[in-house]
C-alpha cells in the first residue's frame, strides 16, 4: 500500500517558535508538495519539490521554507511561527512525467499557534 | 493558469446519481481535468482525470464538453460514504514538475 506519512497529527506551538513539519513517502516519487487548508479557502500550495534539493514556490510561500535532502523526505519549516499560520497542513507526493496525474496525500497535521 | 469554478454545495439522495459540475473556461489545450475528493479529517483522494474524452473508472465517470470549457463528475449510485468535498482541478505544467491548483470545491451531502 502506498504511504505518505506526516510526523504529527496535532501540534501546538507558541508564537515565535521555529516549527518543523516532516513528510515521508515510501513510493519513490519525484514530486512532493506542501499545502495548507483553511475553512472556505480550500487547499493552497505553499511549496513543491520535483527533485532532491530542488524547490519551487507555490501560491503562498511567505513565512515558510522547505528542505528536501533525501528523495523520500520533504520538510516544511516555519522560521518564526505566527498565529495566522494556524491551519491544517497537508503533504502530498506524485510521480513525474506522463504518469504524474495522481497525488497521494498524507493524513495532515493540524497546527495551532498560540 | 486555468482556474475552475464549482458550486459551493450540493445535495443528493442516496442511491441516485450525483452530478457535480465544473467550469474551466480558460483551460489550455494540453491541460488535463482532475477530480479529487476529501472526506472529513482525511487527506484528498484522487478520483479520475481526463483530457477531452469521457472517462470512467470504478469510482466515477467524467464527462468533458467538446469545447473543454466545462466538465461533470458523475457518481452513478451515491452512498452516504460519498459525502465529501469534491475538487475539480486543472493541471498546470511547471518547471521540472507541475503544480496542482485546488479551488474551494463542492461540498456534496448524500442524504438517506
Amino acid at each position: 500500500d502506498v504511504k505518505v506519512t506526516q510526523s504529527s497529527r496535532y501540534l501546538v506551538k507558541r508564537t515565535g517558535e521555529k516549527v518543523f513539519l516532516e513528510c515521508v513517502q515510501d513510493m519513490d516519487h519525484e514530486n512532493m508538495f506542501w499545502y495548507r487548508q483553511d475553512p472556505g479557502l480550500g487547499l493552497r500550495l505553499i511549496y513543491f519539490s520535483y527533485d532532491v534539493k530542488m524547490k519551487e514556490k507555490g501560491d503562498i510561500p511567505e513565512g515558510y521554507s522547505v528542505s528536501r535532502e533525501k528523495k523520500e523526505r520533504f520538510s516544511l519549516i516555519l522560521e518564526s511561527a505566527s498565529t495566522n499560520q494556524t491551519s491544517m497542513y497537508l503533504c502530498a507526493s506524485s510521480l513525474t512525467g506522463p504518469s504524474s496525474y495522481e497525488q497521494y496525500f498524507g493524513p495532515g497535521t493540524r497546527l495551532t499557534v498560540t | 493558469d486555468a482556474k475552475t469554478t464549482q458550486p459551493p454545495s450540493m445535495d443528493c439522495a442516496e442511491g441516485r446519481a450525483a452530478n457535480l459540475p465544473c467550469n474551466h473556461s480558460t483551460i489550455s489545450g494540453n491541460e488535463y481535468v482532475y477530480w479529487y475528493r476529501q472526506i472529513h479529517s482525511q487527506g484528498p483522494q484522487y478520483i479520475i482525470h481526463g483530457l477531452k474524452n469521457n472517462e470512467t473508472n470504478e469510482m466515477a465517470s467524467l464527462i468533458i464538453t467538446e469545447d473543454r470549457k466545462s466538465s461533470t463528475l458523475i457518481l452513478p449510485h451515491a452512498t452516504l460514504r460519498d459525502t465529501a468535498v469534491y475538487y475539480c482541478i486543472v493541471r498546470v505544467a511547471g518547471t521540472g514538475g507541475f503544480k496542482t491548483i485546488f479551488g474551494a470545491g463542492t461540498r456534496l451531502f448524500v442524504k438517506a
Side-chain angles (χ1 to χ4, degrees), chain A residues 102, chain B residues 37 45-48 55-61 74-77 82:
Chain A
E102 181 173 357
Chain B
R37 74 178 182 184
Q45 174 192 22
Y46 165 83
I47 301 173
I48 199 168
E55 302 288 345
T56 296
N57 63 19
E58 65 278 4
M59 290 182 69
S61 295
I74 302 172
L75 308 177
H77 305 286
D82 292 323

Side-chain angles (χ1 to χ4, degrees), chain B residues 25-104:
Chain B
S25 58
T26 59
I27 191 170
S28 299
N30 61 348
E31 290 177 323
Y32 286 74
V33 180
Y34 300 81
W35 283 83
Y36 285 76
R37 74 178 182 184
Q38 187 174 22
I39 296 170
H40 183 63
S41 297
Q42 298 181 21
Q45 174 192 22
Y46 165 83
I47 301 173
I48 199 168
H49 76 288
L51 182 63
K52 53 185 177 182
N53 297 320
N54 297 338
E55 302 288 345
T56 296
N57 63 19
E58 65 278 4
M59 290 182 69
S61 295
L62 174 60
I63 309 297
I64 302 174
T65 58
E66 194 168 340
D67 63 7
R68 304 210 323 123
K69 292 184 177 182
S70 65
S71 60
T72 301
L73 178 75
I74 302 172
L75 308 177
H77 305 286
T79 71
L80 298 178
R81 288 178 296 179
D82 292 323
T83 291
V85 178
Y86 288 78
Y87 296 98
C88 169
I89 295 148
V90 173
R91 175 177 147 178
V92 177
T95 304
F98 67 95
K99 294 198 298 185
T100 298
I101 301 171
F102 286 77

Side-chain angles (χ1 to χ4, degrees), chain A residues 42-101:
Chain A
L43 278 78
R44 292 181 291 168
L45 182 65
I46 304 172
Y47 268 97
F48 72 103
S49 168
Y50 51 89
D51 201 353
V52 175
K53 297 190 185 297
M54 306 303 289
K55 61 185 178 184
E56 284 206 18
K57 294 180 179 179
D59 299 315
I60 51 165
E62 297 78 20
Y64 303 94
S65 62
V66 290
S67 172
R68 186 138 181 232
E69 297 296 318
K70 294 184 178 181
K71 190 175 186 179
E72 67 271 17
R73 188 180 297 269
F74 192 35
S75 302
L76 180 69
I77 303 155
L78 288 65
E79 293 289 342
S80 178
S82 63
T83 54
N84 63 12
Q85 293 178 309
T86 291
S87 186
M88 169 69 84
Y89 290 88
L90 288 156
C91 175
S93 72
S94 75
L95 289 167
T96 196
S99 299
S100 59
Y101 51 77

